[in-house]
Amino acid sequence: MLGTDVVTLQELAAEEAIIALPLPGGTAYPACQLEISGMVTGLSEALRSMPIRSPWMRLEWLLSGDPALGGAAPIEALRRGNVTEVIQLARLHGAG
């Protein structure tokens, strides 16, 4: 969807700009992070703000509804333009 190569995806993952899931035989980059025009706006900032580093836990957080977002999942809230709220929520996820 990004029209990019694997090396670029690996670089984005190393920069914590996207989620890369380690799988037997390779790495998966969940499509929910992407839109036709590129990456979901605000996603990189939210991921970089999050204290949790496990890619599986990050993906679970991204896709799970949250009462702080009116029950919406963070990825849905980002797509609606609620970037600031999602970044603030990401900072608190797993902190303390």
Side-chain angles (χ1 to χ4, degrees):
M1 285 180 77
L2 286 177
T4 190
D5 57 51
V6 173
V7 173
T8 302
L9 290 173
Q10 290 169 338
E11 289 170 356
L12 289 168
E15 296 168 1
E16 298 184 354
I18 61 172
I19 297 171
L21 301 174
L23 298 173
T27 303
Y29 302 92
C32 65
Q33 305 173 98
L34 310 172
E35 298 177 315
I36 297 299
S37 60
M39 291 174 37
V40 173
T41 302
L43 177 64
S44 296
E45 294 86 350
L47 292 175
R48 289 180 181 134
S49 300
M50 185 180 290
I52 290 176
R53 296 290 170 243
S54 164
W56 292 100
M57 292 179 72
R58 287 171 165 232
L59 182 62
E60 179 182 18
W61 170 81
L62 190 64
L63 300 176
S64 297
D66 193 299
L69 298 171
I75 194 68
E76 297 168 347
L78 287 172
R79 286 195 171 112
R80 284 192 224 137
N82 300 9
V83 174
T84 302
E85 294 88 343
V86 173
I87 291 171
Q88 290 171 347
L89 192 61
R91 284 188 183 122
L92 298 174
H93 189 69

